[in-house]
Amino acid sequence: MNIADYTLPELRRAMAHNGVHLQTGIFSACVRSTIPLVAEGIHQLYADAPVLPAEQFADFHVTLSRPANIRRWFKPQVVFRFDGFSPFKPLPVDQAFALFEWGLNWCISSHAHQYLMIHAAAIEKHGRVAILPAPPGSGKSTLTAGLIQRGWRLLSDELTLIGADGLIQGIARPVSLKNQSIDVIRQFAPDTTLGRVVKDTIKGTVAHLRAPTDSVTRVLESALPGWVIFPKYQTNTPATLHPMQRSDAFMGLAQNAFNYSLLAADGFQRLCALMDASTAYRFEYSNLDEAAQIFDALAERRNADS
Amino acid sequence: MQTADCAITRALREPEWLTHASGAEWDAVIRQGRRASLLARLHYALQARSCLTNLPAAPRVHLDAARVIADKQAIAVRWEVGKILTAIAQCEAPLILLKGAAYHMAGLTAGRGRVFSDIDILVPKPRINHVEAALMQHGWVATQHDAYDQRYYRTWMHEIPPLRHIRRQSVIDVHHAILPETARLKPDPALLLAAAQPIPDAPGLFTLAPADMVLHSASHLFCGEFEHGLRDLSDIDLLLREFSAQSGFWEGLVPRAHQLDLSRPLYYALRLAAQLFATPIPADVLHAIAPCRPSAPHAALMHSLLQRALAPDHPSCRGPFSPLALGLLYARAHWLRMPPHLLAYHLAHKALLPPKQPG
């Protein structure tokens, strides 16, 4: 059974009562909420995600609810709770779905230490993954959102998970777009499903893009690393790849990792193996079509070599 | 019943159960264990019984992830203890480790997978100023800047205000006794110091004697520290099992409890460990400690309160009476920590002159 098998009122009711046990790749989350925006967002953006039986083990139990104070009614807010514990301050209720996304990211990045976790997007083509680590504002999510419309498979736009076997594991959740990139993607791919646009969040204006159906159905296919690419959006710059020292890329990944030091020697070895299997670049771009051409050329060349 | 005899307790008591537990049972084990900081310990328990490979993959990864954190902490504690040893080398004071750091460094079962945030050490009171100064010279600074809090610790407590390392953020609690100076129970620190034992192959490091380690843990658990109550009781269970093999341990335990004025905490610890973790305790030890139990109604009340207070802070094992039980035990703990006039003064000060929040 998938989310799409529910009508919106059914989903809203199920989420308000016992919660809905949502599977996103290797993780599952039991989500409870009486807030309509959460059910709406999940209904729209997780349509292809499987729903598991309630009695099955869930990795994370999360609730989104109105606080039990004046802010329940006056300028209403929403609180995210992970199994009763609230890691964030309440936000305006308008941001409920975004808070669900951020909360689930937090659940994964603070618990899934069976993986080396890097704050980076991961997309795959011909069996090889391009890892795109970058600080906010560098155009990482825009690039990811663009490339997954052009035949790249989405593993994740925020969390690259590197397993003990060296393979990269996907979660295929919605891509978070911010500010101008929302319009850029609307123009680049008018047919995609974009969720509600929410203004004035801590990250500015935010909207989430539904993961392509193919990425969701193939989410359990882990893949080998192929490239580590540090993207940078630069206005009026032709899309260009600049080869990068592996050692620099290694340090860049370590700096963007959530749990590199926690994994100690194991983390070091996983990154070494990852860099051994990857070529590293810096990438500047201002146009998504050009970017897609360059990425496709990379994938074709690698495919021809192997 | 919503008590400490919950899913995580059962999992630690009989890890083999988990090889055929249902999805819903696993759900409770992982959630309670996460809240009680017991998942890494459960990983070790399952490993010791070669059960790890027979577990369902989904909950198993949570145990593996907890183990990653515990393993990293084991490295960090070793490093940190080395730094403390260097810092206080000139202080003419032995480095006696307490609780988590002691279990880790002594290689005890109770140290495996035990997560903790502070390193506790015990120092002879006359040397405590030297030790504090030496630690400050090596980068540890006071965490309590409020003058009243400083005085509270230094006049009445059994430790100086916690010290935090300015770069590594590690926290040391430097103790000169195991209970506050104002407490009703008065375990003599001189007896603990005299019985401290060197850790084999770790020059300069000491732990308390085996019986004293058990009694120290019991004293905290039954004098009001319930935040990690179930974890602490599990420590006691593992310590008792491990020390059982040492000749003279059981014979010495109850007499030592009398000597240190800790018979009542030992009574509760033994009784609850046997009940919740099935700790094997010789009949003559139970017989010897029996006279230390309180009157029947008092014992029944305390037992019922402790059962609730030791449960992990998770909705699946907290019932409608849990807050009341915790509140009563908290009040009792303060009552035991300070005589009434001091307690009244302390509470009044905290109520009337709350500490300024930084920033």
Side-chain angles (χ1 to χ4, degrees):
Chain A
M1 187 172 185
N2 288 347
I3 290 287
D5 297 327
Y6 287 89
T7 63
L8 180 56
E10 279 170 357
L11 185 69
R12 208 182 282 163
R13 224 170 302 132
M15 285 190 45
H17 289 117
N18 295 320
V20 167
H21 191 175
L22 181 73
Q23 188 181 5
T24 61
I26 33 156
F27 300 108
S28 76
C30 187
V31 189
R32 281 177 76 166
S33 183
T34 50
I35 296 172
L37 281 177
V38 178
E40 277 164 33
I42 288 177
H43 195 251
Q44 183 185 24
L45 300 173
Y46 281 89
D48 301 313
V51 176
L52 301 174
E55 65 279 8
Q56 203 168 317
F57 175 80
D59 290 297
F60 309 115
H61 291 258
V62 305
T63 55
L64 289 113
S65 52
R66 302 266 191 103
N69 56 33
I70 178 109
R71 300 305 290 270
R72 191 180 186 85
W73 311 110
F74 172 71
K75 291 190 179 179
Q77 289 182 325
V78 52
V79 188
F80 174 88
R81 285 197 185 82
F82 162 64
D83 210 5
F85 167 72
S86 170
F88 311 112
K89 292 201 165 125
L91 289 180
V93 74
D94 191 42
Q95 303 180 19
F97 180 75
L99 182 61
F100 164 69
E101 285 296 310
W102 299 333
L104 207 50
N105 285 342
W106 176 88
C107 285
I108 296 170
S109 65
S110 26
H111 294 97
H113 302 300
Q114 65 273 31
Y115 297 102
L116 172 62
M117 292 180 278
I118 298 172
H119 185 211
I123 51 176
E124 177 262 348
K125 194 160 195 181
H126 300 321
R128 289 285 179 167
V129 177
I131 299 169
L132 314 173
S138 53
K140 161 188 67 123
S141 290
T142 322
L143 183 61
T144 307
L147 292 174
I148 61 174
Q149 311 301 330
R150 296 291 165 92
W152 287 75
R153 177 164 73 99
L154 173 71
L155 298 184
S156 173
D157 84 315
E158 285 280 344
L159 294 163
T160 295
L161 307 175
I162 301 157
D165 53 9
L167 297 176
I168 298 169
Q169 189 72 59
I171 42 182
R173 287 179 34 219
V175 177
S176 155
L177 295 173
K178 292 175 275 276
N179 305 322
Q180 298 93 323
S181 64
I182 299 169
D183 284 331
V184 171
I185 292 302
R186 265 195 191 131
Q187 283 165 17
F188 183 73
D191 300 336
T192 52
T193 307
L194 206 57
R196 250 169 61 88
V197 177
V198 187
K199 295 198 170 114
D200 302 327
T201 76
I202 43 163
K203 304 186 184 200
T205 303
V206 168
H208 286 84
L209 178 77
R210 179 163 146 187
T213 302
D214 175 64
S215 301
V216 178
T217 43
R218 290 173 57 203
V219 64
L220 294 176
E221 290 175 30
S222 48
L224 286 165
W227 310 270
V228 177
I229 301 173
F230 291 79
K232 179 91 187 101
Y233 177 85
Q234 292 275 34
T235 39
N236 303 322
T237 307
T240 330
L241 282 171
H242 306 280
M244 189 178 174
Q245 291 285 338
R246 281 187 185 178
S247 50
D248 291 342
F250 183 109
M251 293 310 293
L253 286 175
Q255 279 160 11
N256 280 287
F258 288 97
N259 60 350
Y260 175 69
S261 77
L262 189 65
L263 265 64
D266 187 22
F268 176 75
Q269 278 149 11
R270 285 193 208 186
L271 267 196
C272 286
L274 180 107
M275 289 317 305
D276 282 344
S278 309
T279 30
Y281 300 97
R282 294 187 192 285
F283 179 62
E284 290 175 330
Y285 79 102
S286 56
N287 177 296
L288 279 176
D289 281 308
E290 286 177 25
Q293 279 172 21
I294 288 195
F295 269 72
D296 282 347
L298 271 183
E300 297 310 328
R301 200 181 329 143
R302 183 112 197 193
N303 199 29
D305 289 349
S306 58
Chain B
M1 194 167 76
Q2 279 151 332
T3 65
D5 196 3
C6 54
I8 183 66
T9 306
R10 181 176 177 198
L12 288 166
R13 187 173 61 224
E14 35 174 330
E16 291 83 359
W17 165 55
L18 291 175
T19 58
H20 55 265
S22 72
E25 286 169 330
W26 266 112
D27 217 77
V29 169
I30 297 294
R31 295 168 77 182
Q32 293 169 5
R34 192 190 276 137
R35 195 55 60 80
S37 304
L38 282 166
L39 289 182
R41 173 163 291 171
L42 180 59
H43 187 282
Y44 269 103
L46 287 157
Q47 189 180 35
R49 288 168 178 78
S50 311
C51 290
L52 276 178
T53 47
N54 303 328
L55 305 179
R60 158 83 195 265
V61 295
H62 290 270
L63 300 177
D64 292 341
R67 176 68 183 265
V68 168
I69 297 175
D71 286 350
K72 169 67 183 184
Q73 185 184 262
I75 299 171
V77 167
R78 205 160 278 279
W79 171 263
E80 212 55 45
V81 167
K83 291 284 178 196
I84 300 172
L85 199 55
T86 313
I88 69 166
Q90 309 300 322
C91 292
E92 293 168 24
L95 179 48
I96 303 174
L97 300 168
L98 300 173
K99 301 188 86 177
Y103 310 155
H104 262 284
M105 296 305 290
L108 297 172
T109 326
R112 292 191 195 139
R114 188 188 193 275
V115 263
F116 53 94
S117 48
D118 308 345
I119 292 183
D120 297 282
I121 67 173
L122 180 68
V123 169
K125 200 172 182 188
R127 309 301 306 163
I128 205 157
N129 290 338
H130 296 81
V131 169
E132 185 181 11
L135 289 170
M136 284 178 150
Q137 277 173 11
H138 285 79
W140 278 276
V141 295
T143 54
Q144 302 287 341
H145 301 295
D146 182 75
Y148 177 79
D149 285 339
Q150 283 282 343
R151 187 158 69 92
Y152 170 80
Y153 273 98
R154 290 178 196 277
T155 319
W156 296 322
M157 286 297 109
H158 51 305
E159 58 185 318
I160 60 173
L163 299 170
R164 184 190 297 277
H165 196 275
I166 203 153
R167 279 191 295 117
R168 297 194 301 276
Q169 300 297 310
S170 57
V171 176
I172 311 180
D173 287 337
V174 184
H175 301 251
H176 53 78
I178 58 170
L179 287 179
E181 303 220 310
T182 53
R184 308 288 156 92
L185 302 175
K186 299 204 182 301
D188 181 355
L191 293 172
L192 299 168
L193 290 168
Q197 295 192 350
I199 298 176
D201 307 322
L205 295 183
F206 295 80
T207 64
L208 297 179
D212 296 357
M213 276 196 246
V214 172
L215 292 165
H216 179 211
S217 189
S219 74
H220 279 231
L221 190 49
F222 300 104
C223 294
E225 293 184 15
F226 297 106
E227 197 189 341
H228 298 292
L230 195 62
R231 198 263 323 264
D232 290 352
L233 189 67
S234 165
D235 286 347
I236 291 172
D237 165 60
L238 294 174
L239 292 173
L240 290 171
R241 285 170 191 269
E242 188 155 11
F243 295 148
S244 282
Q246 296 186 8
S247 68
F249 170 74
W250 284 118
E251 293 80 352
L253 184 61
V254 177
R256 184 66 169 173
H258 291 317
Q259 205 176 17
L260 287 172
D261 199 16
L262 293 172
S263 328
R264 185 64 67 80
L266 180 65
Y267 164 76
Y268 289 127
L270 293 180
R271 176 161 176 195
L272 279 155
Q275 188 199 340
L276 294 173
F277 292 109
T279 318
I281 298 168
D284 50 348
V285 173
L286 290 173
H287 185 73
I289 199 70
C292 304
R293 70 169 175 259
S295 66
H298 183 170
L301 175 67
M302 271 300 284
H303 192 70
S304 158
L305 294 180
L306 286 168
Q307 273 276 359
R308 285 179 171 79
L310 290 176
D313 182 15
H314 189 266
S316 61
C317 37
R318 286 269 154 118
F321 295 109
S322 298
L324 178 68
L326 276 170
L328 287 171
L329 286 169
Y330 187 72
R332 171 182 173 272
H334 268 82
W335 181 251
L336 293 174
R337 272 167 92 88
M338 289 183 146
H341 66 281
L342 269 184
L343 185 58
Y345 174 72
H346 176 60
L347 294 178
H349 195 286
K350 283 284 171 192
L352 298 173
L353 296 167
K356 289 187 190 76
Q357 294 297 323

